[in-house]
Amino acid sequence: MESEERVIILITTTLIIVLFVIFIVLLFGFFQKRKNLLLQQQEEAKKRFEREISETQIEIREETLRNISWELHDNIGQLLTLAKIQLQSASAGSLKDVSETITKGLTEVRALSKLINPEAIKNINLKDAIQLEIDRFNRLNFITSSLNILGEEQKIDEKSSIIIFRILQEFFSNTIKHSKASNLEVLLDFKDKELLIEAKDDGIGFSTSENKSTGIGLENIKNRAKLIGASAVFISEKNKGTILKIVYKL
């Protein structure tokens, strides 16, 4: 009887050990599979982020080229035309006016060169990039614009800056082309752990439920913000303007 009990105990113990080993192997396989899935998702998210960055850089370049076209036609072209007219009727006393017009033209060319140079745009910080846009809007009388800074300015990741700048560019473009606004205000509020960005206009506003194309545009902006761990919220009512609020963790 003792021999049979030993055999039963041995078999039971062996079975328990085998089951335990199988459980460990299955558990290891499950966690390994989960780990591989997470790594794959991280790699796909990284590729999606890099792709979005590339697309955003292309969009910024295209927007920059459009800006350059406007600058050449509406600003520098007008200054050169004015200088030509002044020269045609110039007298000794009016040469000062010609000189001032040409000086303005040179100033505009220097400002335009910042937009043309890819490295200058790439290396510029978010605040200065926004200021360039604000200055251009005011210079060309597109809309009365202002940029206000609160708190101590902190360094922002370059790729995040590109995404934020493109989001704001898209908002600016919509404001100038569609909102019929007279004023555009941008606020950068630097907190200890986050950057609060607010862009608002006093235009006609909109209702996303009544405009599918606008709704899609807003979703694109929100999705871009998510890529850098930020949130983007729109507040708008018809005839009461539009506000874009972005919260980015520093």
Side-chain angles (χ1 to χ4, degrees):
M1 291 293 292
E2 289 184 4
S3 178
E4 290 180 359
E5 288 178 358
R6 286 189 187 133
V7 170
I8 291 172
I9 292 172
L10 181 60
I11 293 173
T12 303
T13 304
T14 303
L15 186 59
I16 291 172
I17 293 173
V18 169
L19 290 174
F20 180 74
V21 170
I22 292 173
F23 173 76
I24 293 296
V25 170
L26 290 174
L27 190 63
F28 176 79
F30 171 78
F31 280 111
Q32 189 65 32
K33 186 177 181 180
R34 186 171 178 81
K35 177 185 175 183
N36 291 338
L37 180 61
L38 287 173
L39 289 174
Q40 184 180 352
Q41 289 174 340
Q42 288 177 352
E43 186 63 27
E44 289 174 355
K46 182 180 178 182
K47 287 179 180 178
R48 188 169 64 251
F49 178 73
E50 293 296 335
R51 186 169 60 250
E52 184 69 26
I53 289 290
S54 298
E55 291 174 357
T56 299
Q57 287 175 322
I58 291 171
E59 288 172 350
I60 290 175
R61 282 196 291 270
E62 289 177 349
E63 185 71 21
T64 299
L65 289 173
R66 282 193 290 271
N67 293 344
I68 290 168
S69 176
W70 290 335
E71 291 270 10
L72 288 172
H73 182 270
D74 295 340
N75 198 19
I76 296 174
Q78 289 181 3
L79 285 171
L80 292 176
T81 300
L82 177 60
K84 180 182 177 182
I85 293 171
Q86 288 174 330
L87 278 173
Q88 288 174 343
S89 58
S91 62
S94 63
L95 285 177
K96 182 181 178 182
D97 293 336
V98 179
S99 176
E100 288 178 354
T101 302
I102 292 174
T103 299
K104 286 181 181 178
L106 290 172
T107 300
E108 297 302 329
V109 168
R110 291 191 185 101
L112 186 59
S113 69
K114 292 182 180 180
L115 289 173
I116 295 173
N117 186 348
E119 287 302 313
I121 289 293
K122 180 181 176 182
N123 295 326
I124 203 166
N125 63 39
L126 179 63
K127 181 196 74 174
D128 291 340
I130 296 171
Q131 190 65 60
L132 277 176
E133 292 287 86
I134 295 294
D135 291 343
R136 182 172 65 87
F137 298 155
N138 289 327
R139 195 166 58 244
L140 297 181
N141 295 318
F142 284 159
I143 190 170
T144 302
S145 312
S146 64
L147 171 63
N148 296 307
I149 311 292
L150 295 178
E152 185 177 347
E153 186 178 354
Q154 299 183 48
K155 185 175 177 59
I156 302 172
D157 174 73
E158 180 185 311
K159 292 181 178 179
S160 296
S161 292
I162 290 172
I163 293 289
I164 294 172
F165 181 57
R166 180 54 193 157
I167 289 174
L168 290 172
Q169 266 193 329
E170 197 163 332
F171 181 85
F172 298 159
S173 179
N174 288 334
T175 292
I176 291 170
K177 292 177 182 176
H178 307 299
S179 76
K180 299 180 182 178
S182 301
N183 297 283
L184 170 66
E185 298 176 12
V186 182
L187 171 69
L188 299 183
D189 187 1
F190 288 90
K191 306 287 187 181
D192 289 337
K193 295 183 180 180
E194 61 185 17
L195 169 62
L196 306 179
I197 305 167
E198 182 176 290
K200 64 178 180 179
D201 65 45
D202 58 355
I204 59 175
F206 61 87
S207 172
T208 55
S209 60
E210 297 177 11
N211 192 327
K212 286 187 177 181
S213 62
T214 302
I216 293 171
L218 302 188
E219 284 305 312
N220 288 341
I221 285 177
K222 290 177 181 179
N223 290 335
R224 277 184 170 162
K226 286 180 183 177
L227 283 171
I228 56 173
S231 63
V233 177
F234 281 88
I235 303 171
S236 184
E237 291 183 42
K238 283 191 172 182
N239 302 315
K240 291 188 178 180
T242 302
I243 301 175
L244 167 62
K245 291 187 176 182
I246 301 171
V247 179
Y248 172 72
K249 295 178 182 178
L250 296 169

